[in-house]
Amino acid sequence: MDTETTEKTAAAEPDEADETTTAAGDDAPDLLDGTDEGEDGRDEGEDGRDDEEGGRGAATPEVTGVGAGAAAVVSAALAAVALTGTWTGRVVAERETLIGQIKTSAGGTPAQQINEIYGDAWHSTALVNGVFALLALIVAVLVLTLPRRPAWVRAVAVAGAVLGGLGLLLSAGTYFDLFLSLPTTGS
């Protein structure tokens, strides 16, 4: 008889626990966050799979948000660097200036000197800044295509895309001498 009483008591305990949980309102947060509890008490994602088995867990949006946020900030920083210039661009321009001076040291026309010393350096700087702007634009577009990102990430990525696009246009215009042309000699 003791075994029967113990089995009846054990069977009655989960029912009592369910009633207290319902009465206390502990199920309300589960209804609000859209997750269902499985039979073993683990949370299941919206697709019915357990979080531990690859379903959508609470950690997934945070990780995606942090990575996407970092990428968006990198995009905006690359775009700002493309607009203001980089140390790399300056080094490349100085190298082109030195090469131009070496080429024209034995004698060259003033037009050749202007082109070799100043024009190549100018175009090299525009090329390097254009590469940074293109990288900013690519990273921003990749961030904007990610699903489930916070609003601030989207805003920073849009800013990176706009500034990257503007930097790319300015670099292309400088490279192809659309805004300012190289000085000419008074022949």
Side-chain angles (χ1 to χ4, degrees):
M1 288 229 164
D2 287 334
T3 3
E4 291 177 19
T5 309
T6 307
E7 290 174 4
K8 288 181 182 178
T9 307
E13 286 177 5
D15 293 338
E16 292 172 8
D18 289 342
E19 289 173 9
T20 35
T21 303
T22 308
D26 288 342
D27 289 340
D30 291 334
L31 296 174
L32 292 176
D33 68 2
T35 60
D36 297 330
E37 283 193 19
E39 293 176 10
D40 58 355
R42 292 185 296 180
D43 285 343
E44 293 180 351
E46 294 173 0
D47 58 357
R49 293 184 294 173
D50 288 343
D51 289 338
E52 295 175 6
E53 296 175 5
R56 288 179 239 171
T60 303
E62 291 177 17
V63 173
T64 303
V66 169
V73 170
V74 166
S75 168
L78 284 171
V81 165
L83 288 172
T84 60
T86 64
W87 175 80
T88 308
R90 188 70 194 145
V91 168
V92 170
E94 290 293 330
R95 181 179 184 275
E96 289 298 322
T97 299
L98 181 60
I99 290 171
Q101 288 173 350
I102 292 170
K103 284 182 180 178
T104 59
S105 67
T109 66
Q112 282 179 318
Q113 289 178 346
I114 290 172
N115 189 40
E116 293 292 329
I117 296 173
Y118 299 108
D120 289 347
W122 188 351
H123 294 148
S124 297
T125 302
L127 186 63
V128 170
N129 290 343
V131 168
F132 275 88
L134 183 63
L135 284 174
L137 192 59
I138 289 171
V139 171
V141 168
L142 288 176
V143 169
L144 289 172
T145 61
L146 291 175
R148 297 175 54 171
R149 63 202 174 280
W152 73 269
V153 171
R154 197 171 341 155
V156 174
V158 167
V162 168
L163 291 175
L166 181 62
L168 196 58
L169 287 174
L170 290 174
S171 295
T174 303
Y175 186 82
F176 293 113
D177 298 328
L178 299 176
F179 304 126
L180 295 172
S181 60
L182 285 172
T184 57
T185 59
S187 324

